[in-house]
């Protein structure tokens, strides 16, 4: 699996496409979600809190990219499923600064979106609702301290209770020592890759947490994704304006397709794209790709010399709720033999590198654009699918034999150690997972002041959402 991910103060929100949509109810009633809990009943109120904190709004502007997605829906006979996305963006008036419009004036100053398409490379004017403008902003305001440039390395139980967390500085030379923190309770929130690696290292290498579940690293999912797209040869069309993901269609009950854009000049992704290849293994698909090059040489040359690939291209993000997964273990990855990291292993329900509905969508989109469809190179040459939404590896379960954490996110075998991030999600969601991760985290956090077993007197500050002075934006 090829995974696109990053880390920073603000987590994935710094470079995500700010697409915040709730999955279908049927997802949470699936076999992989523990049956002891009615997840729809429990999570729905927390989805609403998450939407208010991340300030979800419907995309008001259908750019050329989005209109092409509407045409694709018509061509795939699912026109009625087309819809603008729900996103975490302050639209306001383009480039106009205003006092906090969301939290009764208690939040930061905001600037209106000018639809430059730069959401995923870092919003240049502050319109994107990244976590440093809501959750982290208020955490710091109310006394939390954030220590950047440190990587958690070792978690050790203390003899008098609680845990010490040893860190490594990522700014120093060769991983120099960082700070050590101590606390009665520790929450792992490093994303699916960071949390799984940290737990495996502390269980199997440092052996400071030997009682952790043997299920850690298993049932890792890609959100059922495939990345492809199409480029237009019409130089007058500009698909780079708008927001990162502005519209979507649903070709069947298990699949969602979104149109993705990067801003003009952001052409790095072109080096990951190759002409579309049909079904087959890692020998057949490259041959099919070569045959397409041989039979359409002019189109290949035009692709090669496109002056601004991002302006001419629509990337298709295809997501499915169909079950598929891999296992992550510790090892020496090929691209970094000198550092212990995560390696993927095949698991029952292997993640496919070819989705027929995705290939069909790319061909039809190329017809609409009068251009050429493209695959991501890893799918064609290595049978390796790509994802921007890695999930699982430390799942919620009824016991250590079924998962890594209980329904309150506490790690089996260790009181006071918790996980709250994408690694607990036990299924593909078929939508961008950020809102679901946030809702799960809200549910987890809600247990703290109400659970006597935790022994906490802390009462969280009340956030006022309804403010008479902000009218329709409250």
């Amino acid at each position: 699996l090829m995974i696109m991910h990053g880390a920073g103060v603000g987590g994935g929100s710094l470079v995500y496409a700010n697409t915040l949509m709730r999955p279908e109810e049927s997802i949470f009633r699936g076999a992989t979600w523990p049956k002891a809990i009615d997840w729809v009943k429990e999570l729905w109120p927390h989805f609403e809190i998450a939407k208010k904190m991340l300030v979800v709004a419907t995309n008001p502007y259908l750019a050329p990219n989005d209109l092409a997605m509407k045409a694709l829906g018509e061509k795939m006979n699912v026109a009625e499923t087309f819809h603008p996305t729900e996103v975490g963006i302050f639209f306001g008036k383009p480039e106009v600064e205003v006092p906090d419009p969301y939290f009764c004036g208690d939040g930061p100053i905001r600037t209106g979106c000018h639809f430059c398409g730069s959401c995923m490379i870092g919003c240049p004017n502050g319109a994107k609702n990244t976590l440093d403008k809501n959750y982290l902003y208020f955490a710091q305001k109310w006394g939390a301290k954030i220590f950047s440039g440190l990587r958690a390395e070792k978690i050790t139980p203390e003899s008098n209770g609680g845990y010490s967390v040893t860190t490594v500085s990522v700014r120093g030379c060769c991983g120099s020592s960082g700070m050590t923190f101590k606390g009665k309770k520790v929450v792992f929130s490093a994303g699916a890759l960071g949390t799984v690696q940290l737990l495996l290292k502390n269980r199997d290498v440092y052996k400071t947490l030997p009682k952790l579940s043997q299920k850690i690293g298993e049932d890792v999912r890609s959100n059922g994704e495939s990345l492809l797209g199409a480029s237009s040869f019409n130089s007058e069309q500009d698909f780079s304006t708008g927001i990162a993901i502005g519209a979507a269609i649903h070709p069947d009950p298990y699949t969602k397709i979104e149109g993705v854009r990067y801003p003009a000049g952001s052409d790095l992704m072109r080096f990951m794209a190759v002409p579309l290849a049909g079904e087959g293994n890692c020998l057949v698909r490259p041959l099919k790709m070569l045959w397409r090059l041989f039979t359409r040489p002019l189109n290949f040359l035009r692709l090669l010399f496109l002056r601004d690939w991002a302006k001419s291209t629509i990337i298709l993000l295809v997501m499915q709720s169909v079950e598929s997964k891999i296992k992550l273990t510790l090892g020496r990855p090929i691209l970094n033999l000198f550092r212990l990291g995560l390696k993927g292993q095949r698991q029952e329900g292997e993640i496919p590198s070819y989705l027929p509905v995705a290939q069909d969508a790319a061909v039809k989109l190329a017809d609409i654009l009068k251009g050429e469809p493209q695959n991501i190179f890893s799918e064609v040459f290595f049978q390796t699918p790509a994802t921007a939404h890695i999930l699982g590896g430390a799942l919620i379960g009824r016991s250590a034999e079924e998962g890594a954490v209980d329904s309150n996110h506490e790690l089996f075998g260790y009181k006071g150690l918790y996980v709250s991030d994408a690694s607990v999600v036990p299924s593909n969601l078929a939508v961008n997972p950020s809102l679901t991760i946030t809702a799960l985290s809200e549910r987890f956090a809600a247990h703290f002041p109400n659970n006597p077993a935790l022994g906490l007197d802390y009462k969280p500050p009340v956030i006022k959402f309804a403010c008479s002075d902000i009218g329709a934006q409250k």
Side-chain angles (χ1 to χ4, degrees):
L1 187 66
M2 183 167 72
I3 302 166
M4 303 174 191
H5 73 110
V9 178
S13 75
L14 301 174
V15 291
Y16 78 155
N18 37 247
T19 309
L20 300 164
M21 288 181 283
R22 191 174 62 192
E24 297 292 329
E25 288 188 20
S26 58
I27 300 288
F28 300 100
R29 296 196 171 101
T32 55
W33 289 79
K35 290 291 178 287
I37 294 171
D38 184 339
W39 290 99
V40 171
K41 182 179 179 180
E42 284 218 13
L43 271 183
W44 256 231
H46 298 295
F47 267 112
E48 292 307 309
I49 295 172
K51 287 168 74 172
K52 288 177 179 178
M53 280 299 298
L54 298 173
V55 199
V56 177
T58 301
N59 173 28
Y61 169 56
L62 294 181
N65 180 310
D66 309 314
L67 296 175
M69 289 300 298
K70 186 175 184 180
L72 178 61
E74 294 167 358
K75 207 169 182 68
M76 297 185 77
N77 299 316
V78 289
E80 72 284 357
T81 69
F82 171 83
H83 64 90
T85 50
E86 293 180 288
V87 293
I89 295 176
F90 172 58
F91 290 105
K93 293 182 179 179
E95 300 186 47
V96 175
E97 273 193 359
V98 296
D100 164 52
Y102 296 135
F103 305 108
C104 304
D106 291 336
I109 292 171
R110 302 305 305 277
T111 307
C113 175
H114 59 188
F115 302 101
C116 67
S118 298
C119 311
M120 289 191 290
I121 65 169
C123 177
N125 71 336
K128 185 176 178 181
N129 297 339
T130 48
L131 297 190
D132 54 308
K133 294 179 175 63
N134 39 71
Y135 281 105
L136 292 180
Y137 178 87
F138 286 110
Q140 282 190 299
K141 191 171 183 176
W142 293 331
K145 294 181 181 179
I146 294 172
F147 300 86
S148 62
L150 299 175
R151 185 180 70 247
E153 187 68 20
K154 185 186 292 185
I155 293 84
T156 308
E158 296 279 291
S159 57
N160 59 348
Y163 301 88
S164 66
V165 181
T166 305
T167 69
V168 172
S169 173
V170 297
R171 293 184 176 134
C173 176
C174 305
S176 57
S177 296
M179 302 171 69
T180 297
F181 300 87
K182 294 186 178 183
K184 290 183 178 180
K185 304 180 194 313
V186 176
V187 181
F188 293 77
S189 192
L193 294 183
T195 290
V196 169
Q197 180 168 313
L198 192 54
L199 292 174
L200 289 175
K201 285 172 77 172
N202 280 271
R203 188 191 70 188
D204 301 337
V205 180
Y206 301 131
K207 301 188 185 302
T208 53
L209 302 174
K211 294 183 290 184
L212 288 174
S213 169
Q214 294 301 308
K215 293 290 288 183
I216 291 170
E218 294 189 10
D219 299 335
V220 174
R221 295 172 169 91
S222 69
N223 205 26
E225 292 187 6
S226 182
L227 289 168
L228 4 65
S231 295
S232 170
F233 300 134
N234 182 354
S235 60
E236 295 179 4
Q237 290 183 303
D238 184 357
F239 298 114
S240 66
T241 60
I243 61 175
I245 297 176
I249 60 172
H250 302 256
D252 60 53
Y254 315 103
T255 307
K256 182 185 184 108
I257 302 179
E258 297 174 342
V260 182
R261 63 173 61 74
Y262 280 93
S266 297
D267 286 0
L268 184 64
M269 286 285 283
R270 77 184 302 163
F271 301 109
M272 300 173 68
V274 295
L276 195 75
E279 189 175 9
N281 58 33
C282 55
L283 294 176
V284 173
R285 293 191 78 184
L287 290 175
K288 287 184 175 181
M289 187 202 76
L290 290 172
W291 177 251
R292 190 174 186 91
L293 291 180
F294 179 75
T295 56
R296 303 161 72 93
L298 184 58
N299 278 8
F300 173 68
L301 289 172
R302 293 170 82 179
L303 271 180
L304 208 58
F305 293 104
L306 270 178
R307 292 187 62 183
D308 194 326
W309 185 85
K311 286 181 71 172
S312 305
T313 302
I314 298 175
I315 299 169
L316 294 178
L317 170 57
V318 182
M319 299 172 282
Q320 290 194 323
S321 58
V322 178
E323 180 68 344
S324 59
K325 55 195 176 183
I326 63 168
K327 178 179 179 178
L328 293 177
T329 60
L330 288 176
R332 304 282 177 182
I334 293 173
L335 297 179
N336 195 348
L337 294 173
F338 301 102
R339 180 178 166 192
L340 195 66
L342 292 173
K343 295 183 71 174
Q345 291 185 354
R346 295 174 186 271
Q347 196 174 341
E348 186 181 353
E350 183 183 347
I351 298 171
S353 60
Y354 174 86
L355 299 179
V357 66
Q359 299 281 309
D360 180 50
V363 170
K364 286 183 167 63
L365 180 62
D367 288 343
I368 293 166
L369 303 186
K370 295 181 172 54
E372 187 69 18
Q374 295 159 77
N375 267 120
I376 202 160
F377 78 93
S378 64
E379 290 189 3
V380 174
F381 289 99
F382 307 113
Q383 283 192 289
T384 301
T387 181
H389 301 127
I390 190 71
L391 305 168
L395 303 187
I396 295 174
R398 291 180 299 179
S399 66
E401 287 69 44
E402 290 187 4
V405 300
D406 65 17
S407 60
N408 290 339
H409 294 231
E410 189 169 47
L411 281 157
F412 291 115
Y414 292 93
K415 291 291 181 185
L417 286 187
Y418 304 87
V419 177
S420 185
D421 59 23
S423 64
V424 305
V425 178
S427 72
N428 288 324
L429 301 173
V431 297
N432 310 66
S434 294
L435 188 65
T436 302
I437 295 164
T438 310
L440 283 165
S441 296
E442 282 284 357
R443 176 185 174 275
F444 157 70
H447 284 86
F448 272 79
N450 302 322
N451 189 340
L454 296 174
L456 296 178
D457 298 322
Y458 175 73
K459 293 283 190 291
V462 175
I463 301 172
K464 298 175 292 181
F465 289 115
C467 310
S468 57
D469 60 332
I470 58 175
Q473 293 196 65
K474 67 185 178 181

